[in-house]
Amino acid sequence: MICRPMLLLVSLTLLTSGALSAQETAKPEPQAQDGALDIIAADAVAALAIRNVAELVKRGDEFIDKTKANVPLRLSLGYTFVVVHLGLSRGLDNEGAAALMLLKKELGEESFVLAAPVADFTLMAANFKLKREDLAEATIVDRQLKEGNEVPPYARYIAARGKHLLMGGSRELLESTLKAKPLREALSDDDRQTLASDDILLYVNTKLLETEWKDIRGKLEPELATLEPDEALSLRLFLAATEELRYFLGGLRLEDGLGATFVLRYEGEKSREILAGLQAGKRGSTTLAALPLGNALAA
């Protein structure tokens, strides 16, 4: 049995079927518009976003074909299932960005807001027995008033924002999302550039998860105690620096193989001093020159 928030998370993946960077190797040229960063609310607790629906589905299928991976469901097939499940069969923009945002720490049917890309708002409105004028910009619509109590509680409220349809189970959270500053405006130019080419983005606002983040660090202490003192020192210093970690961004790319990007933003002198001390020697890029020839799956 899949809980409804998890179903929404799966739905998004199929539907869309100074920073410290962990990757410094060459990346593809960034897209002109980092749309995924435009639709994520900067004050979200966490978010999963897709840069381009059609590209993800195409690249996902190509990746499966090339690797001969045994997967239960392809993105291209899952797309149709999710469109029908969410009632978004008409009016979607297959080349737009989409995002699923967690707006409150307590998980529940009212905690999430989905942003779906729209090509035709007249057709999109018809999905919900509405007219185009009913989906005016930033106007929240209660679907139960038109469709009755069969509307799923996690998709009860909808609203238009720009070229996207927002959908969620809480009027208050939808209102705050409409007013929120986009994540793109909260990031540095370097961070936006680093993530511009990634197909899938994961955002975690650790500033809003201070208690949970502290608990995670505490649970790692017993593990560190099992290491040799010199081995544990660097990890202890790194964990101390994460007290000033403000957000985490992860990116996944499916073009020409599988690529990952990690960006951690720190704020504070303590973390600056610790991280500077952990940098050993001259900076450089990782190389695979010593890897033996062959069909390596990972390195």
Side-chain angles (χ1 to χ4, degrees):
M1 179 176 178
I2 302 178
C3 66
R4 286 180 174 136
M6 182 60 70
L7 181 58
L8 271 176
L9 184 61
V10 173
S11 297
L12 170 70
T13 306
L14 295 175
L15 172 63
T16 56
S17 330
L20 175 67
S21 176
Q23 178 171 324
E24 297 183 11
T25 54
K27 294 183 62 176
E29 286 298 316
Q31 302 295 317
Q33 176 59 266
D34 46 355
L37 297 177
D38 290 324
I39 57 177
I40 297 176
D43 58 0
V45 176
L48 178 68
I50 307 301
R51 180 178 57 81
N52 184 298
V53 172
E55 281 190 7
L56 178 65
V57 171
K58 179 175 179 290
R59 291 176 180 180
D61 283 353
E62 288 177 349
F63 183 80
I64 292 172
D65 291 338
K66 289 179 180 179
T67 60
K68 298 185 178 359
N70 185 16
V71 296
L73 185 67
R74 286 174 175 258
L75 290 176
S76 53
L77 296 175
Y79 176 82
T80 302
F81 165 77
V82 173
V83 165
V84 173
H85 171 72
L86 294 178
L88 304 174
S89 56
R90 292 173 290 177
L92 277 175
D93 179 5
N94 290 331
E95 296 187 351
L100 179 65
M101 294 167 276
L102 174 64
L103 275 300
K104 53 192 286 190
K105 292 191 292 184
E106 299 77 15
L107 296 180
E109 294 178 340
E110 297 184 354
S111 303
F112 294 86
V113 170
L114 174 72
V118 179
D120 188 323
F121 269 103
T122 299
L123 292 177
M124 181 59 68
N127 290 324
F128 310 109
K129 302 179 182 179
L130 301 172
K131 297 180 180 178
R132 172 63 183 95
E133 52 267 29
D134 296 327
L135 280 180
E137 177 74 13
T139 299
I140 297 177
V141 177
D142 184 349
R143 291 176 58 195
Q144 284 191 359
L145 298 180
K146 274 282 188 180
E147 303 173 61
N149 294 329
E150 290 116 17
V151 174
Y154 54 83
R156 176 175 175 176
Y157 299 97
I158 57 175
R161 184 182 68 177
K163 295 181 179 180
H164 285 80
L165 179 80
L166 301 183
M167 175 182 289
S170 165
R171 178 184 290 272
E172 291 72 25
L173 289 185
L174 220 58
E175 287 177 348
S176 66
T177 305
L178 289 168
K179 299 174 183 177
K181 178 172 69 173
L183 180 59
R184 182 167 65 90
E185 295 183 11
L187 302 182
S188 68
D189 291 339
D190 287 342
D191 288 355
R192 292 198 297 269
Q193 183 80 3
T194 298
L195 297 158
S197 302
D198 291 324
D199 296 308
I200 302 173
L201 293 177
L202 173 64
Y203 169 63
V204 179
N205 190 339
T206 51
K207 193 172 184 178
L208 298 178
L209 296 168
E210 291 183 357
T211 302
E212 291 78 6
W213 193 234
K214 184 177 180 181
D215 289 343
I216 292 174
R217 294 198 304 271
K219 290 177 181 178
L220 290 175
E221 283 297 326
E223 299 297 328
L224 292 178
T226 64
L227 301 176
E228 294 296 328
D230 56 338
E231 294 177 336
L233 178 60
S234 293
L235 290 175
R236 289 187 187 279
L237 290 173
F238 180 74
L239 285 176
T242 60
E243 294 176 12
E244 296 180 346
L245 180 64
R246 291 298 171 256
Y247 62 74
F248 163 85
L249 275 161
L252 191 66
R253 241 175 12 269
L254 292 176
E255 185 178 24
D256 298 326
L258 183 65
T261 307
F262 302 97
V263 174
L264 292 82
R265 172 63 66 178
Y266 296 85
E267 294 177 3
E269 291 304 316
K270 179 180 178 180
S271 58
R272 182 186 301 275
E273 181 179 349
I274 292 174
L275 293 174
L278 289 176
Q279 279 187 323
K282 190 167 61 174
R283 294 183 66 185
S285 296
T286 300
T287 175
L288 301 180
L291 196 68
L293 295 176
N295 297 322
L297 293 178

